[in-house]
Structures are given as C-alpha cells and as structure tokens.
Amino acid sequence: MSDSNKSVINDNTLANAVKDEIKCFLLDRINPDFGLLDVLRGNNTLDRNECQDIKSRRTTYKKNVRLLEIVTEKKKLREFVVALRDSNQEHLVNYVTTNGKRPEQCSGIWPITSWEINVLKTKHKHLVDHIDVSNNELVYELYSAGFLDKRQKDHVSKLAQDYEKVDALLDILHHSSLSNYRKMINCLSKTKQNHNAWILEKGSVNEEAEEEEEEMEQKKAKKLKIEDISEKEYESSEEEEEIVGKTNALQTCTSAKTDFVILAAISRSNFDYFVEFMAPKVLINRLHTKECLTDDEMIYIKTLRSDRDKSHEIIRVIHGIPSKYNVFVDILREKEQYRVAEVADRGGAVMNVSITFGKQPNSADIQQKLYDRIKSLLSKTSPFSVEVVQVVSLLARAGVEIIEAKNSRCLSLWLWCRSEFALQEFNEMNESPNKELSKFFGEFFALLNTDDQIPPIMNIDLDDPDRDVVLRPSDYTPVAKLAVGKHSVCAVTSQNNSVYALSRNPTAILVFIVDNPSRIKLEILVSDIKDPEDMVVINEFVFVSDRENSCIWQMIPMPYQAKSWPVVAPYTMSVLQGCYILKVSRGQPSTLNIYDQDFIQVNEISLPSSIQFPCHAVGTLANTFIVSYKEEARLSGGLCEVNSSGDVLSIFDMRLQAAQGVSAPINQSLSRLIRSDALKGYPEHFTLNERDEIFATGRSKDGILVYNSRLVLEDSLKKDSIKKPSCIHYAVNPKLLLVGNESEVAILKQRRAL
C-alpha cells in the first residue's frame, strides 16, 4: 500500500484501540503468527519471554488476548498499531482509525465484513472438501498475487495433507482484507476452480458449474484411461497385435505421467528462484511462436505489471507438460538464461541463503567485495586460491553449488542442492547451538577476501528446507549400433554426417554414414600402425595415435597415405576449435600441447604439479581446458578445469577429503554433506557436448558419468547395451552420443529436446 493511502496514527487512533467493541473485533481479526510478534520484539514492545508466552497459547484468540494484555499494561499502543501496519495488517489499522466506520470511498484495505465471515463459516466444510491444492498450484498463485507472503507460503506448502492446507488458507483469509478476499476469488478462477470462486463471491454453491466441472473431469479421466491388460489377453493369439498396441500405449502413458510428476516437482521446488531470475519479457513471444502459449495466454501475460507475475504465469502454463516444458528450457537457453535453464532441465532445489553481517565502519564495503568475488568465482573470470577451489570442490562432491548472488541489505546466495539430505543438513547446521553454518561461511568468506577482516555474521536466513528434491535423468537411449563385425574398436569420432571407428586386429579405420549405421561405407587398412590408441578427424585428415611406435600418424585422404610424428604418453587426443589437435604429455611438469594440422606445436601450457598423470584433455567453449588425471598407484583421480595460463579454476577429485585453510569442524561438516561417494573409479576418457556438459568413461562400474560444465556430477548412464564402455564421442551435428567398447559401438540419442 502506498503511503498516501495509509491512515494517520494519532491520539484518536490510540483512544479507539482501547474501546471494548474495537478490542473484541481485534481479538478475532489480528493474525499474530506471521511477523507481528517479530516486529513487536524488534521495536522493544515485547521481550523474548513475552513472545514465547504468546506463542505457547494454543489458539489464535488466546494469543491475541495475551498480546493485548501485555501491550495495554506496558502502554505500548502506538508501537502496537505501527506494528500492525508493518506486518501487512493495514486493514486493521484503518478499522481502528475510523472507529469501525467504513468510509464511503474506501479501497479494499478494510477487514472482510460479517457477510464474508458468514460465508467462510457456513461453507467451511464444503470449501475444505472441494478446494484443490494439489501440486501447490493454488498456493503459488496466491503467493504471486500477493495474498500470501513468503512465511505464509512456506507454512502452507509444508503441511502434509491437502485439507490442512485449505484450512490454513481459510484461516489466513478470515484475518485478511477485502482486497485479499477478491485475490482469493481471482486465484481460484485462474486455477480453474470456478465453483469455489462462486461460493466466495455469491455465498452459495453453484450446482450447475460444479456438475459441469465434474463432468469435464470424468471425460478427461476417461480419455486418458488405458484399460488394464489381463493375463487372458496374452493367451489369445488373435488379440496379440491389439495387446502390443495397448502395452506400448501404457508405457507411453506411464512415461508421460512420470515426466509430469518430475516436472511439476521441479517447478514447485524452484518457484522462488525462477521468478527471481527469469527474464520473462524476451520469452513471451517466442513461447507463443512455439505454441507453448495460446493467444489469450500471451495477451494476458503481457498485461501483468511485474516480471515476477509474468514469470509466475509462464511457469503455471508450462509446468508439468513435457512438450511445452522442453521447449521452454530450449528457449531459456536461446535467450542466454543458461543457469535458469539448467535448473529447469536438471531439477534439484535452489535454496536462498540470506547472510546479515554485524555493523562496523567498513562492513558495507567488505560485503560488496565479497559479492564481487563470488560473481567472479561463478563467471570464472579469474583464478582463486587452492583453498577456495577445494571448498567449492567438496561442496560439488555433495551435489551443492553456489549459482547466484545478490547484494542489498544482506548478502544473498542461492545454493543449488541435488538432495533433500543437503537441504536438511544446511538447516541443521544453521540451527545448531554453535552456529556451524555461520562459521562455515565466515571461514569461506575469509578465503575469498584475504585483504580485510570479515565482519561477524549476525544472522543467516534459509528457505524452507522441506521440499521435494527431484532430479531429471539425462534420458539417453540407444537408437542404433555400428556394424563393426569382428573388429575390436578402441576409439570413435565423427565429422559432418560420418562416424569413424578405429579398430585393432586388424588395424583399420571404419567409416559409416549416420543415417545407415548397419553398413560400412569405407574400410581403410593401415599396416604401419602397430598399437592404435585414439583417433581424431580434421577436414577429412585422420590422425591416429600409436602406443607401440610412440607416435601420431596422419592419414592423407584419396589415396590414403600415412606419415608420423613422435610423441610421449599418453596417446589420447581431441580436436580444438575445429582445426587444432590437443593432447596431454606427462613429465615434470605435465603439459597441454596444441598442434596444427601439420603437427607443428603452436602452444604449450604447463599443468599444476598436483596433476602428475594426466589422461585426456578437451577444450571448452569458454577457452578453458578440462583435463582428466589419475594417481599412478591407485584407481583414484578426477577432473580439473584450467585456463590458458594453467591456473586451476575448478576440480572434481576423488582423493580430496578435506580443504586446506579451514578448521577441522568445518571439514567435518563438509564430510557429513558428502557422506560417501558411490563412484568406484575415476573418469578417464571423456567428451563435451555443445553446452560443455561432460560425458566420461573410465575404470568404474558406474557406466557413463555425466558432469555439468562446473564439474558437478549430475548423472550416471548405466546402459545394458554397452558393457564397460571404453571410448566415447559426442557428435554435435546431428546430436548423438557414440559409446563403444572392444566389441560394439552404440549410438545414443536424448529423447527430450536439447
């Protein structure tokens, strides 16, 4: 409410507040549970014990009785009325100011009248039984409309039963204003609960509308229903074809239902993050063009004033519908809203952490420096200390990463969590007697900013941790296999529409057309290559590494001729920027070596001393390098990202158990977050897709490991069709994942849109 519409609190207001009839009204209408007591404690009207005393009363009425007793005894009526205003109960201030007489020209900032109270009382059971709060769609609609504040939304959302949620919403409505009563009606209509909206507006049940909606629901259910297939149907050979059709339809329906549940959970758990960071204006027309929004939906969204309202309405339209949702994710990426797209695509839950520092002369400047350092950490614009990289790596091992930050009165971080355990663990750390979470961030900030003394952390507020954490699988499925016959495949790559497979015994290069993988287009036998290891293709020139001869061969096309250059182990290669060869060399120090097509070295980058045994390297779109490495004596190792100077930007290290530069209790907290790693090996050979996501094979029973561009393990593709994959390649055009072992090469494709 604007200041111009606020009532003036004067002596008459305070005199009215102590009148018996006004007191009786306030006892029934004050809502003490969502911020009022905190405001009163903040302005020193109540102390801690008095707040606890009020909260211990079982009913709202008894809480209000005790509250007014204390306020009257302490003669704090002015502070009390101001607190009502500051806790979004302006309608009660207006009532007290006018002595309960509603002005003729009155806005909706007025308590609901006896008529609305009677409707809520007489229709309470019907409303509890019929208002639909499944998937919390109505709750989020009310939150977006401003009917619920964040505390109320979190309180209602975490209630277990639907009837409890509806009862809580009706209780909030009982204590609310006429404008909020109208918002409830509008939100019921928006969520297609017109019969419930009719009850609140007219005070009676619209039987025709209710019957019509029930009939529509029945028709919808009948349309989607697929009859169960009985065992008797299988016994009948005459009905076999029909049964197969029904089975496929049932599987499709089950898959669609699973997708719906996953996508709805992702939308619910990350609603606040989406509306905070989506830029909806650039999405609306594109979503309409792609038929994700109807004409009416597009026009309605454009009429909404705030970006939050626009974002909410977009989420409401697309959430839970796989076809629309996948296009929505693609458009987010198209409009360069990459992080929002990633959360929408992968799932998990993003938790807001609001950190308040103690006041000291330069605390605002230090807070700004921390914000700048965190943004630099997220953008990878500059390297950080080993200690910072290790802390971030341990969080990543726990499936947790910082993905956004904002700086205002407090420093706000958004943590992306891949497990409910992580959400609960952060909450327990924050509520622990020794304030583990404050100590963790205090030490982490000290590592980020070593120039200043970090102010003490006075308070940390967390989002509601009681949320569903659902991860969306990568969903790659085999669509074909290369007909390699008896060839033993050790490497696979692609260029344009051709797939190349490198074979041992005999040494040969097999060329296939993607559209016809069942037939070898070209087979090139190369007797000079004794022990082939890896292969890349640049402009139809094929480069093959040879372990026995310690060299790399260049195959010159039409007619194929071979020439070689000596190299040192290891013998893996990748293509950099479409025209260079990138390989790693072990030594003191180990290096990244970049060669042109004539195998002239154009650059050499020294790797950190901690990477003694690199295995493979691939360049990223950000002009950095991902390097896999191992320990010679053990099967542990990891991935690291380095820049063009060889500085480590991020790591995923199976050996890392504790971070340098932080205390033992903090490392223990990080260990609890990590719990135990399921991985038994380390990523060795890998490939990147067009978003720098990493698909890795290695000495592991985990199949294909999938990491995001920040080296957070996202998924494990365990495909029965490929046992112990040893070589892997991502083909950008068309978008296919080629995975092979010694006996076969499978072509995998992601079923949902990329």
Side-chain angles (χ1 to χ4, degrees):
M1 185 177 182
S2 65
D3 292 338
S4 60
N5 291 329
K6 289 184 177 181
S7 300
V8 177
I9 300 173
N10 52 32
D11 293 339
N12 289 332
T13 303
L14 303 180
N16 290 337
V18 296
K19 293 180 179 179
D20 288 342
E21 61 271 22
I22 300 293
K23 259 191 175 181
C24 290
F25 182 86
L26 291 176
L27 289 173
D28 182 55
R29 300 299 186 86
I30 292 172
N31 192 336
D33 295 323
F34 299 103
L36 177 60
L37 298 184
D38 294 331
V39 176
L40 288 169
R41 188 178 175 189
N43 66 19
N44 296 320
T45 299
L46 301 176
D47 60 28
R48 183 174 180 276
N49 292 331
E50 288 167 337
C51 283
Q52 292 298 328
D53 180 25
I54 294 169
K55 290 178 180 179
S56 67
R57 310 298 166 115
R58 297 190 63 181
T59 66
T60 301
Y61 184 84
K62 290 181 179 179
K63 291 178 184 178
N64 290 337
V65 168
R66 182 58 184 145
L67 173 59
L68 289 180
E69 284 177 355
I70 296 173
V71 169
T72 305
E73 288 171 5
K74 299 176 78 170
K75 297 181 180 180
K76 294 280 189 176
L77 286 173
R78 180 178 294 277
E79 290 83 353
F80 168 68
V81 176
V82 171
L84 284 175
R85 170 177 288 170
D86 292 344
S87 60
N88 297 321
Q89 301 188 59
E90 179 75 19
H91 54 288
L92 298 182
V93 178
N94 291 343
Y95 187 90
V96 173
T97 301
T98 61
N99 198 21
K101 296 178 181 178
R102 184 180 178 186
E104 291 184 6
Q105 301 296 327
C106 179
S107 68
I109 312 302
W110 187 261
I112 61 174
T113 68
S114 57
W115 186 89
E116 288 86 15
I117 291 291
N118 186 60
V119 172
L120 294 176
K121 180 180 178 181
T122 57
K123 303 301 179 186
H124 184 272
K125 184 179 185 305
H126 185 93
L127 291 169
V128 170
D129 290 342
H130 288 82
I131 288 180
D132 182 10
V133 290
S134 61
N135 297 326
N136 283 331
E137 183 179 0
L138 176 61
V139 176
Y140 290 125
E141 193 74 51
L142 291 167
Y143 176 57
S144 176
F147 175 90
L148 299 175
D149 61 25
K150 190 173 185 304
R151 287 191 184 192
Q152 292 168 331
K153 186 258 294 183
D154 291 343
H155 167 71
V156 175
S157 298
K158 72 181 181 181
L159 294 173
Q161 303 297 328
D162 284 355
Y163 73 85
E164 294 176 316
K165 295 180 181 180
V166 177
D167 194 56
L169 290 174
L170 295 178
D171 184 67
I172 293 170
L173 183 58
H174 174 92
H175 296 88
S176 196
S177 64
L178 287 172
S179 63
N180 272 355
Y181 194 89
R182 172 52 55 186
K183 287 176 183 177
M184 172 66 87
I185 293 172
N186 291 340
C187 290
L188 286 169
S189 299
K190 280 186 180 181
T191 54
K192 300 179 181 179
Q193 302 186 56
N194 294 325
H195 56 291
N196 293 321
W198 177 281
I199 292 173
L200 292 183
E201 189 163 19
K202 304 296 184 182
S204 61
V205 177
N206 186 346
E207 295 180 358
E208 291 184 4
E210 198 162 55
E211 289 176 3
E212 184 178 341
E213 291 202 17
E214 287 180 1
E215 186 177 341
M216 287 177 65
E217 287 295 323
Q218 290 174 0
K219 287 181 178 179
K220 188 177 179 181
K222 191 177 291 184
K223 184 178 179 181
L224 295 175
K225 184 178 179 182
I226 297 177
E227 297 178 357
D228 293 334
I229 303 171
S230 65
E231 293 181 5
K232 292 181 180 179
E233 287 179 297
Y234 282 104
E235 295 172 0
S236 173
S237 58
E238 295 179 358
E239 298 176 352
E240 183 176 349
E241 185 176 341
E242 180 183 355
I243 294 168
V244 171
K246 286 185 176 182
T247 303
N248 292 337
L250 183 61
Q251 291 172 345
T252 302
C253 181
T254 302
S255 176
K257 184 177 180 181
T258 301
D259 284 345
F260 171 82
V261 172
I262 291 173
L263 301 181
I266 292 172
S267 300
R268 287 197 308 273
S269 296
N270 298 288
F271 174 82
D272 289 340
Y273 172 73
F274 290 150
V275 298
E276 184 75 28
F277 289 100
M278 269 176 60
K281 291 178 183 177
V282 298
L283 305 177
I284 298 170
N285 288 338
R286 196 78 178 96
L287 287 167
H288 178 252
T289 302
K290 290 289 188 177
E291 300 182 353
C292 294
L293 297 177
T294 65
D295 293 345
D296 291 342
E297 287 169 340
M298 178 189 69
I299 293 169
Y300 172 68
I301 292 172
K302 286 185 175 181
T303 63
L304 298 174
R305 282 191 166 187
S306 70
D307 281 355
R308 292 181 66 89
D309 290 344
K310 288 181 170 70
S311 296
H312 173 267
E313 188 63 19
I314 289 172
I315 294 168
R316 189 190 70 77
V317 171
I318 61 93
H319 102 287
I321 305 174
S323 57
K324 291 185 177 182
Y325 195 95
N326 291 331
V327 174
F328 165 67
V329 172
D330 282 345
I331 292 173
L332 283 171
R333 292 193 178 108
E334 179 185 309
K335 299 302 180 181
E336 299 183 357
Q337 300 182 39
Y338 298 118
R339 202 58 58 84
V340 176
E342 196 173 356
V343 174
D345 189 32
R346 284 295 187 183
V350 179
M351 176 174 63
N352 176 234
V353 181
S354 298
I355 302 168
T356 304
F357 294 97
K359 297 297 182 183
Q360 62 183 49
N362 61 341
S363 59
D365 293 336
I366 294 174
Q367 184 172 310
Q368 180 64 41
K369 283 184 181 180
L370 287 173
Y371 167 76
D372 293 338
R373 294 291 282 166
I374 291 168
K375 294 297 284 187
S376 177
L377 180 69
L378 299 181
S379 62
K380 302 179 183 178
T381 53
S382 60
F384 282 80
S385 66
V386 172
E387 293 84 357
V388 170
V389 172
Q390 287 181 348
V391 172
V392 173
S393 174
L394 289 172
L395 286 174
R397 287 264 299 281
V400 177
E401 60 177 321
I402 303 170
I403 60 171
E404 291 289 357
K406 283 192 174 182
N407 185 30
S408 55
R409 288 178 297 178
C410 61
L411 180 62
S412 293
L413 307 179
W414 276 262
L415 303 186
W416 187 7
C417 301
R418 272 71 164 191
S419 70
E420 293 176 11
F421 173 80
L423 287 175
Q424 296 295 339
E425 188 65 22
F426 274 112
N427 189 55
E428 290 179 13
M429 289 170 65
N430 194 38
E431 294 181 351
S432 63
N434 58 347
K435 297 296 181 182
E436 287 182 47
L437 195 59
S438 294
K439 291 180 180 178
F440 166 74
F441 279 112
E443 293 190 26
F444 179 59
F445 292 154
L447 296 175
L448 279 176
N449 181 11
T450 57
D451 299 332
D452 303 289
Q453 180 70 34
I454 304 299
I457 294 175
M458 303 303 294
N459 185 56
I460 295 181
D461 286 328
L462 301 181
D463 272 346
D464 178 19
D466 296 325
R467 285 182 280 171
D468 294 329
V469 178
V470 178
L471 300 176
R472 197 179 185 199
S474 298
D475 201 21
Y476 278 87
T477 186
V479 293
K481 287 187 178 182
L482 299 183
V484 297
K486 295 183 179 180
H487 289 277
S488 179
V489 176
C490 60
V492 61
T493 188
S494 69
Q495 186 177 64
N496 299 327
N497 201 38
S498 298
V499 175
Y500 297 75
L502 179 61
S503 164
R504 295 189 181 109
N505 300 323
T507 301
I509 299 168
L510 312 176
V511 184
F512 299 83
I513 301 298
V514 171
D515 298 333
N516 186 16
S518 61
R519 188 173 66 87
I520 297 175
K521 173 188 174 185
L522 180 65
E523 180 175 352
I524 308 166
L525 296 174
V526 190
S527 58
D528 293 334
I529 301 175
K530 302 302 181 183
D531 186 10
E533 177 76 10
D534 200 5
M535 170 181 59
V536 295
V537 179
I538 301 176
N539 298 329
E540 297 186 356
F541 286 82
V542 181
F543 297 85
V544 178
S545 60
D546 186 345
R547 181 184 293 270
E548 183 174 323
N549 290 319
S550 298
C551 69
I552 288 179
W553 295 87
Q554 182 192 55
M555 313 299 298
I556 302 171
M558 301 303 175
Y560 276 93
Q561 304 172 20
K563 59 180 180 179
S564 65
W565 295 272
V567 293
V568 298
Y571 301 101
T572 61
M573 300 176 291
S574 64
V575 176
L576 182 65
Q577 299 175 0
C579 58
Y580 296 104
I581 298 171
L582 172 66
K583 75 175 297 293
V584 290
S585 299
R586 294 174 186 165
Q588 296 295 330
S590 295
T591 58
L592 292 176
N593 304 102
I594 302 172
Y595 303 92
D596 65 13
Q597 294 179 49
D598 294 323
F599 221 73
I600 298 172
Q601 182 168 296
V602 296
N603 197 7
E604 180 178 271
I605 300 170
S606 296
L607 294 173
S609 58
S610 58
I611 305 175
Q612 296 182 14
F613 300 101
C615 299
H616 187 50
V618 179
T620 72
L621 297 175
N623 295 321
T624 61
F625 304 93
I626 307 296
V627 182
S628 63
Y629 59 92
K630 66 177 180 178
E631 282 187 296
E632 189 71 9
R634 295 204 307 245
L635 296 183
S636 61
L639 296 169
C640 73
E641 181 180 11
V642 299
N643 61 17
S644 57
S645 300
D647 301 311
V648 176
L649 301 177
S650 56
I651 58 174
F652 183 92
D653 195 324
M654 296 297 298
R655 301 169 295 175
L656 185 64
Q657 299 300 321
Q660 301 175 27
V662 298
S663 63
I666 298 304
N667 273 317
Q668 290 172 4
S669 298
L670 290 170
S671 296
R672 286 203 310 273
L673 275 171
I674 296 171
R675 295 189 289 183
S676 61
D677 288 294
L679 300 181
K680 304 302 180 184
Y682 63 91
E684 188 171 16
H685 197 75
F686 60 92
T687 184
L688 273 59
N689 68 6
E690 72 280 1
R691 298 194 299 273
D692 283 344
E693 290 178 329
I694 302 164
F695 299 85
T697 65
R699 300 182 184 183
S700 168
K701 296 180 180 179
D702 296 284
I704 303 165
L705 306 176
V706 184
Y707 301 80
N708 69 14
S709 61
R710 297 170 302 285
L711 307 190
V712 179
L713 182 63
E714 296 275 15
D715 201 358
S716 175
L717 307 180
K718 297 180 180 179
K719 297 298 179 185
D720 294 335
S721 57
I722 294 292
K723 303 292 185 181
K724 298 180 180 179
S726 57
C727 56
I728 190 166
H729 174 77
Y730 185 84
V732 176
N733 186 23
K735 297 174 181 178
L736 299 170
L737 190 62
L738 308 174
V739 184
N741 57 23
E742 291 185 354
S743 59
E744 58 187 353
V745 176
I747 301 175
L748 279 63
K749 187 175 183 180
Q750 193 173 28
R751 287 195 294 177
R752 66 174 182 266
L754 277 173

